Amino acid sequence: MTLQDQVKKIIETHQMIARGDDLLVAVSGGPDSVALLHLLSSLREDLRLRLEVAHLQHGIRGREAREDARFVAELAAKLGLPLHLKEVDLPRIRSAAGKGNLEALARAERYRFFAAVARERKLVKIATAHTRDDQAETVLMWLLRGSGLKGLGGMPLVHPLDGNVEPGRRLMVVRPLLCVSRAEIEAYLKQNDLSFRLDRSNQDLSFLRNWIRLKLIPQLKEEIDRNLRARLAQLAKLIREEDDLMDGLARAALDEMRTPEGINRGSLLGHSKAMQRRSLRLWIEATRGHLRGLDFQHIEALLGLIADGPPQGRLSIP
C-alpha cells in the first residue's frame, strides 16, 4: 500500500475528511508538513477538496524563518493553492505575558492564526502534520509532567478547536498523518524528490520535546524496546478510547446531578472520587467554555470545598 493509499484509508476509517470539504493546511516547510500538503493535494480531485495553506512565522529565527516563508509561498504557488502568511514577535509576546512556556505560547499563536484564517475563508477543518513519532513524544512529555488520562491519551485524530462560535460550522483539527511514522514520511519525500526546510531550533535541547526526541527516546529504544514509538502511540489510542468511555459515563452522571442552579452536592458526593473529578471538570467546561489553566490541584481544592467547606465558602480558581 502506498502512503497515499494509507492516508486515504486513515481519512475514510476515521471519517476525518468528507468529500467536498474545505481545508486549511498548516505548513511550516518542514518534512512532515510538506508531505501532508502533497498528499492532500494528490487526493484533491478524488475527494473534491478545497485546500488553502497557512504559515506562521514566530519572529525567532530571523533570516532562516523568512526563507521558510518564501519556500512555503513557492510551494503553495506551484500547487495552485492560496497562501495565508503572518509573522508574530513571540519573544515580545512572552515578555508582555510575564511568563509562559515558549513552546506553549507558539502553539497558541499558531492555532489562533489558523482559526482566524479558517473562519474568514469559511474553511471548516484545519489539517496539521503530526505523525506517530510526535504522538509518542507527546505521551512521554505529558507523563513526565504528571498528566492524567487526557494527557496520556496524546493527540486525537480529530478534535474541535476551542472557541468555536458558529454551532453549525465547528472548526475541527484533523491529523491525517498521526498513524504514519516519520520514517515513512522521509521515504515518501525521497521517493517523490520533494524538498523541505529544516528548523535548527528543533535541535535545541532546552525544549522538553526536543530533549525527549533526541535524548530520551533513543536511549529507551536502545535499552528497552526498538518499537517504542509505535507502542507509545498504541498506548495513547487505548487510553483515549477508555477515556472516552469514562467521559460518556460521567456525562450521564452529570445529567442526573444538574439542577436549575448548578449541580446537586449530595448527588455529586454520592459518586466515587474519580467520577466526582470527571463530572466536575465536564460541568466547569460546559459552564466556562474551556478548561484552560485548570489543573488537578484546582479540581481537588474544589472537591474539598464542596465536601468539607463552609456553606457560603468561596475558592478562587483560574
Side-chain angles (χ1 to χ4, degrees):
M1 182 182 294
T2 65
L3 186 58
Q4 180 180 346
D5 291 335
Q6 185 180 341
V7 169
K8 185 179 178 183
K9 184 177 180 181
I10 292 168
I11 287 171
E12 292 172 345
T13 300
H14 298 279
Q15 300 179 330
M16 188 179 297
I17 298 170
R19 291 184 184 278
D21 265 352
D22 304 326
L23 276 81
L24 181 68
V25 188
V27 181
S28 67
D32 300 340
S33 64
V34 167
L36 174 64
L37 184 60
H38 274 274
L39 285 162
L40 290 177
S41 183
S42 70
L43 294 169
R44 189 170 23 167
E45 185 175 342
D46 186 15
L47 297 179
R48 300 196 301 275
L49 302 178
R50 173 190 160 207
L51 302 177
E52 301 194 14
V53 178
H55 176 83
L56 181 70
Q57 287 180 244
H58 294 113
I60 297 176
R61 294 166 43 245
R63 181 178 176 181
E64 282 189 13
R66 290 190 292 273
E67 290 295 330
D68 290 349
R70 185 177 295 110
F71 172 84
V72 174
E74 291 173 355
L75 178 58
K78 183 178 179 180
L79 295 172
L81 302 175
L83 171 69
H84 306 278
L85 175 66
K86 181 179 180 180
E87 182 174 0
V88 297
D89 187 345
L90 197 60
R92 183 189 60 78
I93 291 171
R94 182 169 65 170
S95 176
K99 60 178 182 178
N101 176 280
L102 195 63
E103 290 176 285
L105 288 172
R107 180 185 181 278
E109 287 298 319
R110 282 197 301 274
Y111 280 98
R112 188 176 295 114
F113 169 55
F114 299 155
V117 171
R119 291 197 179 97
E120 180 184 346
R121 300 289 295 173
K122 294 183 168 51
L123 305 167
V124 296
K125 291 175 182 174
I126 300 165
T128 66
H130 295 101
T131 65
R132 190 174 70 189
D133 295 62
D134 294 316
Q135 183 74 296
E137 294 159 10
T138 298
V139 171
L140 281 176
M141 184 170 65
W142 285 115
L143 175 65
L144 294 174
R145 287 175 171 170
S147 171
L149 290 183
K150 290 291 183 189
L152 295 180
M155 298 175 284
L157 283 153
V158 181
H159 72 91
L161 196 62
D162 285 346
N164 294 302
V165 293
E166 298 179 60
R169 292 179 62 86
R170 300 191 73 189
L171 282 180
M172 305 297 292
V173 175
V174 299
R175 298 185 170 99
L177 302 183
L178 200 59
C179 302
V180 177
S181 71
R182 194 163 287 143
E184 290 174 294
I185 294 293
E186 291 169 355
Y188 173 82
L189 292 168
K190 184 176 181 180
Q191 179 183 352
N192 291 276
D193 195 26
L194 298 175
S195 59
F196 51 85
R197 299 281 298 172
L198 290 176
D199 183 347
R200 287 194 299 176
S201 68
N202 288 335
Q203 304 299 313
D204 186 349
L205 296 180
S206 66
F207 294 115
L208 178 59
R209 183 179 288 275
N210 291 347
W211 178 80
I212 290 172
R213 178 190 302 128
L214 300 173
K215 293 291 186 180
L216 181 60
I217 287 182
Q219 187 170 349
L220 291 175
K221 284 179 64 178
E222 183 69 28
E223 299 291 336
I224 299 173
D225 186 352
R226 299 202 66 79
N227 294 317
L228 179 71
R229 287 189 175 94
R231 293 189 186 280
L232 286 171
Q234 179 65 23
L235 173 65
K237 179 177 181 291
L238 294 173
I239 289 176
R240 280 199 313 277
E241 290 172 351
E242 298 199 2
D243 192 50
D244 288 343
L245 172 64
M246 289 296 293
D247 261 1
L249 296 174
R251 290 182 195 283
L254 181 59
D255 286 342
E256 297 175 1
M257 299 174 198
R258 289 185 184 276
T259 71
E261 293 79 23
I263 54 177
N264 181 276
R265 174 180 177 274
S267 179
L268 174 68
L269 296 178
H271 286 275
S272 68
K273 197 67 177 290
M275 189 59 76
Q276 289 177 32
R277 292 190 192 102
R278 194 172 287 264
S279 299
L280 187 58
R281 284 176 62 89
L282 288 172
W283 179 71
I284 292 172
E285 184 176 27
T287 304
R288 183 173 175 240
H290 60 83
L291 289 169
R292 289 191 298 274
L294 203 67
D295 296 325
F296 175 79
Q297 65 266 26
H298 302 125
I299 297 295
E300 290 298 284
L302 285 166
L303 288 175
L305 175 67
I306 292 168
D308 304 314
Q312 301 299 322
R314 289 173 177 267
L315 181 68
S316 176
I317 61 171

